[in-house]
Amino acid sequence: MPDLRVLVVEDDPVAAEAHRTYVDRLPGFSCLGIAGTAARALQVLSREQVDLVLLDMNLPDGHGLDVVRRMRAAGNQTDVVAVTAAREVAAVQAAARIGVVQYVLKPFAFETLRDRLSAYARQRRAAEAGQVVADQDEVDRLLHPATVSSVPKGLVGSVLDRVVTLLGDREGWTAEEVATSLGTSRITARRYLEHLADQGQALRTQRYDGRSGRPKVEYSWVSES
């Protein structure tokens, strides 16, 4: 099966480049380009063969859902994954009603997007192979695909997502501060922070409090705006 060609629609250059990097790291996927506006996205979709759109909801010249509506009105049935900070239930429901296949909240760890897109690819391959469902349970799994966490051994996906959310809320967290917010030990918090730093998603810097000569390591989110 050839690589699935992905269009990243994101107006923030840093986030767009991060998403491109994420896609190109995934086996079976390749990023064909980035569109920073709704108009540019629709232009690319009218000219290129696109298999999947990673779509931000808040674009400078329109809303992401309007992009999907205009795609469908033009007869374009390309699958869409929403990648957005919009957390309103109404937004999630509206996306589902017009056929958005996945909804990924910013900020997120690479593993989160990897799991969602891997689940999407499995379902797509099954459909293209003409597979049939065996029972209602399998129908339910197709409509609401569970994603098996592939985070490193010793880490928990839900906790990793909470750490990512904390780092996205403000700049500069120490392991102690993250541990307090999560209700975990400092060692546990540091393990998650170090994983994100090793992945290039968090930046390590030194914090000097002026009261002691020993600085603390703090972490800031660098992959998303």
Side-chain angles (χ1 to χ4, degrees), residues 29-119:
F29 292 86
S30 64
C31 180
L32 67 87
I34 294 172
T37 65
R40 177 58 180 162
L42 291 167
Q43 184 182 59
V44 173
L45 286 162
S46 70
R47 297 178 178 178
E48 301 284 348
Q49 176 61 45
V50 180
D51 297 302
L52 182 67
V53 181
L54 292 190
L55 180 64
D56 186 25
M57 292 292 102
N58 297 309
L59 298 167
D61 59 340
H63 195 277
L65 294 184
D66 290 332
V67 173
V68 182
R69 293 186 185 99
R70 292 173 66 182
M71 287 170 57
R72 302 303 185 238
N76 189 319
Q77 298 302 312
T78 301
D79 288 331
V80 175
V81 171
V83 180
T84 176
R87 296 172 178 268
E88 297 84 359
V89 172
V92 178
Q93 290 179 326
R97 280 196 295 269
I98 60 174
V100 172
V101 297
Q102 292 274 6
Y103 198 98
V104 182
L105 287 175
K106 295 180 181 178
F108 54 85
F110 166 69
E111 289 86 357
T112 299
L113 185 64
R114 177 178 62 191
D115 290 346
R116 272 43 175 199
L117 293 192
S118 295

Side-chain angles (χ1 to χ4, degrees), residues 130-140 142:
Q131 293 183 16
V132 298
V133 296
D135 51 31
Q136 184 64 48
D137 287 343
E138 192 167 348
V139 172
D140 293 340
L142 286 173

